[in-house]
Amino acid sequence: MDAKHQRQDLYDVAIVGFGPAGAVAAAMLGDAGFNVWVGDRLQEVYDIPRAIALDHEIMRIFQQIGIVDEVMPHTEPFTPSEYYGVDRQLIKRLTMIDKPYPLGYTPSIVFTQPPVEKAIRRKVASLGNVTVELGIEVTSVAQDAEAATISVKRPQGDSGDIRARYVLGCDGARSLVRDEAGILLEDLDFDEPWLVVDVLVNEQGLAKLPKTSVQYCDPDRPCTLVIGPGNHRRWEISLKEGEDPLQAATPERTWELLSPWLNPEDGELWRQASYRFHALVADRWREGRIFIAGDAAHQQPPFLGQGMCQGLRDVANISWKLAAVLKGEVSGETAQALLDSYGEERKEHVSNLINRIKAIGSVICERDPIKARQRDAKLLAEAGGVVRDSPRQDVLPKLAGGMLSQTPHIAVGTIFPQPWMRKNGERLRFDELVGEGWLLVVDPAMSQPRLPMLNVVTVGAHGLLEEESILSRWMNKNECSAVLVRPDRYVFGAADNEVDLAGLLAEWQERMGQTIATSIAV
């Protein structure tokens, strides 16, 4: 697909990379009304799956850009993940949090990546203010006081420059944008060779396989089995020292490694590829007008299925901040601080989660049989001899630092819930009802301030009711009567009385610098 729209002299944002992160960023910024250019070296969506897991926060992002109904048919709930030790005894189980689900979607899901990517691209193609160029090669990225310049070679052989106020590099682990900006990767000390195998399993094969996903914590060869949508099953198989990764990825050797579960007559190989699983994070995520996101900014082991989720969290974070700057809602030093907060928040969150994933990996990947038995005994002892369910979502950290209130509160940096709501008989999810932007959610007993850029929502008043008490229970648990929620639905701050609320709003005004006077009452 070539560029469909007339090229601009100066775009608001240029995005390098049209994978999931780049495409979602283009959709978000395009929806916000900005002139966006996005380019990628590939002409089409990669036709085999790489990511296999998503979560409810990502489904909420798909809802925001209007494609969640297209995505849903390509998803299924994630089965429990059962961890088996040296003697194949159950030592740990990761599961789903209980209903009612706090964000309005199944908290952990598996999905088929190619059709989901195509849905995102269809959304982008519907936006007349977004220019898409595929099959192009980015050769350099530079910036000056006025804008950034991306030099490209097009499929026809001609060269040209793209000028934009900001550049977002979503161009993968070997990111040219990252290199051109002089951004380095920090090594978080994980580097192992693994074989990833996707199989379309027939009925005969399915009858042989476990009904839940499994982590085989076998010191001889650690391995993961993930139950994907339909008849899709994925194995992640560790490679031993001295094994040739290229040879392991041949069909013959792959079937040998799968032989404890399946034979060639049990299904069809969809993909087999050798990887080195890394734990890396960029030392900084911004250089002037240039930002990086997704695999360009971080890489993590796959043990919690958070790779694509983290990339979409990145672009959801930077998109609302770029929008605030481009719209003039913030300016000067306030604008620079807001843009800087992207890297502060996301680097801390990613690093924290990678360390938690590494801890999970250390359970799976222990190679010493004696230490592995000690691990098994310790996990069982900690559980009192009975393995209890541990929700996957409990592993995810809160946001910290950056554009969050500096007044301590347990809700700061958490994700605000999205209950099902009713207003005048109509049933909608919370975000659909209240719209985008900054929200102040207050108890009916609290006063309702009117401030620029702030949508004040009073649940329980004016016929606005929730179905399952998710929000009221959340407010009680977090001991608050008012919550200030960012456009990406993370909690900026919370208060339990009107004095504390006044202080919270004063802090927010100081941090944001308000120049647009709009207030919406629900």
Side-chain angles (χ1 to χ4, degrees), residues 247-261:
Q247 199 270 335
T250 62
E252 297 76 17
R253 180 55 179 156
T254 295
W255 279 117
E256 288 179 11
L257 291 169
L258 289 177
S259 62
W261 299 273

Side-chain angles (χ1 to χ4, degrees), residues 268-462:
E268 173 189 352
L269 292 178
W270 193 2
R271 175 188 71 148
Q272 66 273 9
S274 294
Y275 293 91
R276 294 199 75 89
F277 291 164
H278 297 294
L280 303 168
V281 63
D283 63 350
R284 62 193 193 283
W285 296 44
R286 177 192 183 192
E287 179 60 36
R289 297 179 177 276
I290 299 171
F291 302 82
I292 57 173
D295 287 351
H298 49 80
Q299 296 149 52
Q300 52 266 315
F303 304 122
L304 202 60
Q306 282 290 307
M308 180 169 156
C309 295
Q310 288 289 63
L312 298 195
R313 289 188 190 101
D314 295 343
V315 298
N317 187 303
I318 188 57
S319 291
W320 77 263
K321 294 172 180 177
L322 283 172
V325 174
L326 289 165
K327 289 177 181 178
E329 293 175 352
V330 291
S331 59
E333 292 183 2
T334 302
Q336 297 311 311
L338 182 63
L339 295 177
D340 283 341
S341 74
Y342 163 64
E344 295 171 28
E345 294 172 7
R346 294 303 304 142
K347 181 179 180 181
E348 174 67 20
H349 189 269
V350 166
S351 299
N352 194 338
L353 184 55
I354 287 176
N355 285 329
R356 297 183 185 198
I357 292 171
K358 283 173 55 184
I360 292 172
S362 69
V363 172
I364 300 166
C365 299
E366 179 55 66
R367 298 284 192 156
D368 185 308
I370 295 175
K371 291 182 179 179
R373 289 186 185 280
Q374 292 172 344
R375 168 206 64 201
D376 296 352
K378 179 182 178 183
L379 286 172
L380 289 171
E382 289 173 348
V386 179
V387 175
R388 294 175 174 83
D389 292 351
S390 176
R392 287 186 185 91
Q393 302 312 125
D394 288 355
V395 180
L396 297 178
K398 299 196 297 185
L399 279 188
M403 188 57 187
L404 299 167
S405 174
Q406 296 175 0
T407 301
H409 193 285
I410 55 174
V412 172
T414 63
I415 303 171
F416 192 69
Q418 183 184 217
W420 281 98
M421 308 295 294
R422 287 192 177 273
K423 185 176 183 182
N424 301 326
E426 186 177 11
R427 183 177 190 258
L428 292 168
R429 291 185 175 92
F430 182 83
D431 292 357
E432 296 169 327
L433 194 57
V434 303
E436 299 179 3
W438 284 89
L439 301 176
L440 177 63
V441 182
V442 296
D443 184 273
M446 298 278 283
S447 63
Q448 300 181 28
R450 292 292 182 262
L451 292 172
M453 299 195 315
L454 194 58
N455 180 356
V456 181
V457 178
T458 307
V459 177
H462 313 296

Side-chain angles (χ1 to χ4, degrees), residues 19-74:
V24 168
M28 286 186 155
L29 291 164
D31 265 346
F34 302 113
N35 291 317
V36 177
W37 178 93
V38 58
D40 198 287
R41 62 183 180 82
L42 298 178
Q43 292 278 5
E44 303 290 343
V45 167
Y46 195 54
D47 63 356
I48 56 178
R50 290 161 290 178
I52 195 172
L54 296 174
D55 64 25
H56 53 178
E57 183 181 356
I58 305 310
M59 296 300 286
R60 195 178 190 178
I61 290 172
F62 290 151
Q63 174 190 320
Q64 181 181 341
I65 62 175
I67 66 166
V68 73
D69 289 339
E70 290 186 70
V71 169
M72 290 286 280
H74 307 291

Side-chain angles (χ1 to χ4, degrees), residues 39-344:
D40 198 287
R41 62 183 180 82
L42 298 178
Q43 292 278 5
E44 303 290 343
V45 167
Y46 195 54
D47 63 356
I48 56 178
R50 290 161 290 178
I52 195 172
L54 296 174
D55 64 25
H56 53 178
E57 183 181 356
I58 305 310
M59 296 300 286
R60 195 178 190 178
I61 290 172
F62 290 151
Q63 174 190 320
Q64 181 181 341
I65 62 175
I67 66 166
V68 73
D69 289 339
E70 290 186 70
V71 169
M72 290 286 280
H74 307 291
T75 69
E76 289 183 11
F78 208 137
T79 63
S81 293
E82 297 187 338
Y83 289 61
Y84 289 93
V86 178
D87 298 316
R88 292 297 172 94
Q89 78 274 40
L90 183 66
I91 58 173
K92 182 180 175 73
R93 183 190 292 115
L94 289 182
T95 57
M96 203 87 70
I97 55 179
D98 293 332
K99 291 182 178 181
Y101 296 145
L103 302 191
Y105 298 97
T106 302
S108 298
I109 65 174
V110 289
F111 79 114
T112 304
Q113 185 174 352
V116 170
E117 279 201 63
K118 290 176 183 178
I120 307 170
R121 289 192 177 195
R122 285 193 296 271
K123 165 66 181 187
V124 174
S126 73
L127 298 170
N129 51 322
V130 179
T131 298
V132 179
E133 289 198 76
L134 300 179
I136 57 98
E137 178 188 358
V138 174
T139 58
S140 68
V141 183
Q143 59 182 314
D144 55 41
E146 302 299 324
T149 302
I150 299 173
S151 297
V152 301
K153 288 184 180 178
R154 297 190 169 92
Q156 301 83 358
D158 60 316
S159 299
D161 290 339
I162 306 297
R163 290 275 286 173
R165 293 177 64 184
Y166 296 99
V167 168
L168 180 58
C170 300
D171 50 339
R174 297 182 177 88
S175 171
L176 178 109
V177 174
R178 183 186 65 224
D179 292 344
E180 290 287 282
I183 297 172
L184 302 177
L185 292 175
E186 297 174 354
D187 192 338
L188 300 185
D189 192 26
F190 190 95
D191 181 33
E192 291 192 1
W194 287 67
L195 176 71
V196 178
V197 184
D198 292 285
V199 183
L200 298 176
V201 185
N202 59 32
E203 288 188 15
Q204 172 182 294
L206 289 174
K208 298 179 179 180
L209 296 176
K211 305 307 179 188
T212 66
S213 300
V214 180
Q215 300 283 2
Y216 297 96
C217 307
D218 182 351
D220 182 58
R221 192 185 292 279
C223 177
T224 299
L225 167 61
V226 177
I227 296 182
N231 65 336
H232 177 197
R233 300 294 180 268
R234 170 170 291 180
W235 282 262
E236 294 162 356
I237 303 171
S238 68
L239 299 180
K240 299 178 182 180
E241 186 175 352
E243 285 187 306
D244 182 353
L246 294 178
Q247 199 270 335
T250 62
E252 297 76 17
R253 180 55 179 156
T254 295
W255 279 117
E256 288 179 11
L257 291 169
L258 289 177
S259 62
W261 299 273
L262 297 177
N263 296 313
E265 61 268 21
D266 295 324
E268 173 189 352
L269 292 178
W270 193 2
R271 175 188 71 148
Q272 66 273 9
S274 294
Y275 293 91
R276 294 199 75 89
F277 291 164
H278 297 294
L280 303 168
V281 63
D283 63 350
R284 62 193 193 283
W285 296 44
R286 177 192 183 192
E287 179 60 36
R289 297 179 177 276
I290 299 171
F291 302 82
I292 57 173
D295 287 351
H298 49 80
Q299 296 149 52
Q300 52 266 315
F303 304 122
L304 202 60
Q306 282 290 307
M308 180 169 156
C309 295
Q310 288 289 63
L312 298 195
R313 289 188 190 101
D314 295 343
V315 298
N317 187 303
I318 188 57
S319 291
W320 77 263
K321 294 172 180 177
L322 283 172
V325 174
L326 289 165
K327 289 177 181 178
E329 293 175 352
V330 291
S331 59
E333 292 183 2
T334 302
Q336 297 311 311
L338 182 63
L339 295 177
D340 283 341
S341 74
Y342 163 64
E344 295 171 28

